Amino acid sequence: MVRRPFALKGPRRPRALTARRRRYDRAVAATRYGILVYDDVEVLDAFGPFEVFSVAARLSAGSPRGSAGATLVSAYPDRSIVTARGGLRVCADVSIATAPEFDVLLVPGGVTQVAESDPDLRAWIAARSSTPTPSS
């Protein structure tokens, strides 16, 4: 008989741990993430977290199959296509004019001078300051 070194032996997962996992899965599935994208946003700063949110949604039992886990928000009220650093063209899900409320709003780095000088964008972010977890 060949023994597999990675096979786990022992009792099954305790029932309390399973219940705790179900509560965690529901919380992950219910969390609404928004990622602001703007011209010259740093690709890794925006899409590294997007990948993390997507994997969390995919692994969560309460999330629908194919759930993105995060909503991309264009910094421009009149266009959904932004060009990230290196020329990557990104199609946002919504704009700042139509964005829903989020539990977490991520404002990624990049060349931010133009975005920072936009008074409408600054006002939109300030209005979202009541978002439970703003992050940058």
Side-chain angles (χ1 to χ4, degrees):
M1 182 167 145
V2 177
R3 296 191 82 196
R4 291 180 276 160
F6 56 85
L8 298 175
K9 295 194 180 220
R12 295 187 63 142
R13 182 185 293 176
R15 182 176 217 122
L17 185 59
T18 303
R20 189 177 320 141
R21 174 60 193 242
R22 281 193 301 267
R23 283 192 306 273
Y24 172 79
D25 285 347
R26 282 193 301 271
V28 167
T31 302
R32 299 164 301 170
Y33 297 98
I35 301 175
L36 184 69
V37 290
Y38 51 89
D39 287 336
D40 287 324
V41 66
E42 192 64 50
V43 174
L44 187 56
D45 289 359
F47 296 104
F50 180 87
E51 178 67 15
V52 171
F53 300 148
S54 297
V55 169
R58 188 171 58 243
L59 295 177
S60 171
S63 294
R65 186 171 172 83
S67 174
T71 301
L72 295 179
V73 181
S74 169
Y76 312 103
D78 56 347
R79 65 182 168 111
S80 63
I81 304 291
V82 299
T83 304
R85 297 289 309 262
L88 178 66
R89 293 175 56 82
V90 177
C91 182
D93 301 310
V94 295
S95 73
I96 59 171
T98 60
E101 294 295 320
F102 299 108
D103 296 311
V104 177
L105 175 62
L106 177 76
V107 181
V111 179
T112 62
Q113 287 84 357
V114 174
E116 287 179 31
S117 65
D118 181 348
D120 294 332
L121 179 58
R122 288 197 342 251
W124 183 82
I125 293 172
R128 300 295 172 121
S129 65
S130 64
T131 296
T133 312
S135 58
S136 174

